[in-house]
Amino acid sequence: MSGNLRNPQVQRMEEARKPRRSRIAIAFGSFNCFEEKIRAEVEAGSLDRIDMLGETGDGGVLRCLRQWEEDGLI
């Protein structure tokens, strides 16, 4: 059957199965782009380093957001 002649209900079901992009990925293109922006703002002094990146640079709010994105929560 041709792709454009398929049952609309089947098409909706197939669309629903596709992974959804997070709000961050939609707004910034990808989570990595978002992370680059956050790290640049931390370096510029606009955001607190410990809050955003944690004491070791790989934790804090940024790590939580990445985990939530990976888990499909945002």
Side-chain angles (χ1 to χ4, degrees):
M1 195 174 230
S2 174
N4 58 357
L5 297 177
R6 295 173 61 177
N7 182 325
Q9 185 176 10
V10 171
Q11 288 176 332
R12 284 192 303 273
M13 290 171 54
E14 289 173 345
E15 189 65 31
R17 287 186 197 151
K18 291 181 183 177
R20 287 186 271 165
R21 294 178 63 201
S22 72
R23 292 180 189 115
I24 290 174
I26 291 168
F28 293 89
S30 70
F31 193 91
N32 289 338
C33 289
F34 171 71
E35 181 174 353
E36 288 175 19
K37 180 173 177 29
I38 294 300
R39 289 184 181 276
E41 289 186 21
V42 166
E43 291 302 317
S46 299
L47 296 172
D48 184 78
R49 178 178 300 278
I50 301 297
D51 287 348
M52 296 308 295
L53 306 177
E55 290 184 8
T56 60
D58 63 352
V61 173
L62 190 61
R63 178 66 200 135
C64 291
L65 290 172
R66 181 175 288 281
Q67 186 64 54
W68 291 346
E69 185 196 44
E70 290 170 1
D71 294 344
L73 300 174
I74 57 173

